[in-house]
């Protein structure tokens, strides 16, 4: 069972499993399903059949949280007695905690970003590309694209192409080469509203509208954020 909010890490884990289990025969014995449309019986039947030209097969169910309770129940007999020639991976969405039997037959892995580890994750990703990003550069990148490692990786690849032989990435490189996401714009808008800075708020709002963002969507994000702040204030007053 794979859970967590970092789809980039989940995809890498699946790719490593595929390489380790299947090697050159990867295409034939690598089967994927989508939880929105797959049936538990179909998944179990496929995992139970012998692989072709290999000792193993890998069956991956993406969006497994979309499987209904009925389909999960259809999978439970297989989970209790899995095929020794198959590896079944159920990928659950962010925040989902599946209730499955199977005991020792089920291993769970959480691919979430640990609190406070975003900067070190950015710097590690840069090192894998052969570059060193400063602490200020990492902070700037997170501020612009958020903490999704796929987005971070994509931006670091673009920056590395531009930097070439210059192996250090600073905040000026990030700000010059990274396009702001709606994440950054909305938070800038919220901060401007909090400061009662009308000029900055109008500027960011104009950028969002130019990017084609729907007004009701912007309003919804602002409302959501202030509800969180309001709720946090209530909990703080109750010393919770």
């Amino acid at each position: 069972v794979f859970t967590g909010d970092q789809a980039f890490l989940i995809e890498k884990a699946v790719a490593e499993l595929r390489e380790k289990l299947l090697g050159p025969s990867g295409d034939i014995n690598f089967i994927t399903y989508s939880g929105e449309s797959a049936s538990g019986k179909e998944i179990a039947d496929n995992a139970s059949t012998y692989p072709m030209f290999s000792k193993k097969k890998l069956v991956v169910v993406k969006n497994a949280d979309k499987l209904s309770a009925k389909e999960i129940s259809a999978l439970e007999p297989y989970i209790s007695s899995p095929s020794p020639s198959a590896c079944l991976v159920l990928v659950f969405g962010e925040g989902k905690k599946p209730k499955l039997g199977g005991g020792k037959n089920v291993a769970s892995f959480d691919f979430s970003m640990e609190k406070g580890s975003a900067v070190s994750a950015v710097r590690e990703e840069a090192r894998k590309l052969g570059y060193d990003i400063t602490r200020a550069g990492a902070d700037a990148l997170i501020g612009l694209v958020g903490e999704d490692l796929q987005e971070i990786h994509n931006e670091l690849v673009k920056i590395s192409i531009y930097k070439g032989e210059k192996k250090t990435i600073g905040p000026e490189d990030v700000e010059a080469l990274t396009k702001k996401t709606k994440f950054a714009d909305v938070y800038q808008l919220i901060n401007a509203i909090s400061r009662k800075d009308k000029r900055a708020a109008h500027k960011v709002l104009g950028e969002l509208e130019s990017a084609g963002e729907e007004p009701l969507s912007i309003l919804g994000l602002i409302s959501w954020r202030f509800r969180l702040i309001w709720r946090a204030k209530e909990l703080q007053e109750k010393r919770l």
Side-chain angles (χ1 to χ4, degrees):
V1 173
F2 286 1
T3 59
D5 58 7
Q6 294 296 336
F8 179 66
L9 296 180
I10 290 175
E11 289 294 333
K12 283 182 67 176
V14 169
E16 288 173 12
L17 260 180
R18 182 176 178 177
E19 177 64 26
K20 184 174 182 179
L21 292 175
L22 309 180
S25 65
D27 290 341
I28 300 175
N29 295 295
F30 179 60
I31 301 100
T32 60
Y33 289 99
S34 175
E36 291 94 340
S37 56
S39 76
K41 183 178 184 304
E42 183 183 4
I43 295 165
D45 287 348
N46 201 317
S48 298
T49 58
Y50 287 106
M52 295 178 65
F53 313 114
S54 176
K55 293 180 180 179
K56 293 282 185 181
K57 72 160 47 176
L58 176 60
V59 181
V60 177
V61 184
K62 297 180 179 181
N63 301 321
D65 46 291
K66 303 294 184 184
L67 289 167
S68 67
K70 176 184 175 183
E71 303 304 342
I72 291 286
S73 295
L75 265 178
E76 285 177 352
Y78 175 84
I79 293 171
S80 298
S81 182
S83 166
S85 61
C87 176
L88 174 61
V89 178
L90 303 177
V91 181
F92 284 80
E94 180 182 349
K96 302 290 183 179
K97 293 184 179 179
K99 293 181 180 179
L100 299 171
K104 64 181 181 180
N105 296 326
V106 178
S108 296
F109 301 90
D110 182 29
F111 295 88
S112 297
M113 183 87 75
E114 291 183 14
K115 187 177 180 180
S117 67
V119 169
S120 59
V122 171
R123 302 192 76 176
E124 177 60 27
E125 200 59 37
R127 276 193 287 271
K128 290 176 185 175
L129 294 169
Y131 290 80
D132 178 56
I133 186 169
T134 65
R135 171 64 189 256
D139 282 334
L141 186 57
I142 293 165
L144 287 171
V145 304
E147 296 185 354
D148 185 282
L149 278 177
Q150 182 65 67
E151 293 284 348
I152 287 168
H153 173 79
N154 292 345
E155 294 301 328
L156 284 172
V157 168
K158 287 193 289 185
I159 293 169
S160 67
I161 292 170
Y162 172 82
K163 292 291 288 184
E165 297 301 315
K166 298 176 182 178
K167 296 298 183 182
T168 301
I169 300 170
E172 64 283 353
D173 300 311
V174 172
E175 289 164 8
L177 299 167
T178 302
K179 186 179 183 299
K180 288 185 295 183
T181 63
K182 286 184 285 187
F183 172 92
D185 283 335
V186 168
Y187 276 82
Q188 285 186 19
L189 177 58
I190 290 166
N191 288 338
I193 293 169
S194 299
R195 297 193 308 270
K196 299 182 180 179
D197 186 340
K198 291 182 182 179
R199 184 186 298 274
H202 278 123
K203 180 177 182 295
V204 178
L205 182 60
E207 291 174 359
L208 283 165
E209 290 177 337
S210 296
E213 187 64 36
E214 289 293 328
L216 285 176
S217 175
I218 298 170
L219 183 60
L221 287 166
I222 293 170
S223 301
W224 166 76
R225 184 64 175 171
F226 277 100
R227 277 198 299 272
L228 287 181
I229 294 169
W230 188 359
R231 180 63 178 147
K233 183 174 173 61
E234 286 183 333
L235 292 171
Q236 187 179 46
E237 288 171 351
K238 294 177 182 178
R239 298 186 182 278
L240 295 175

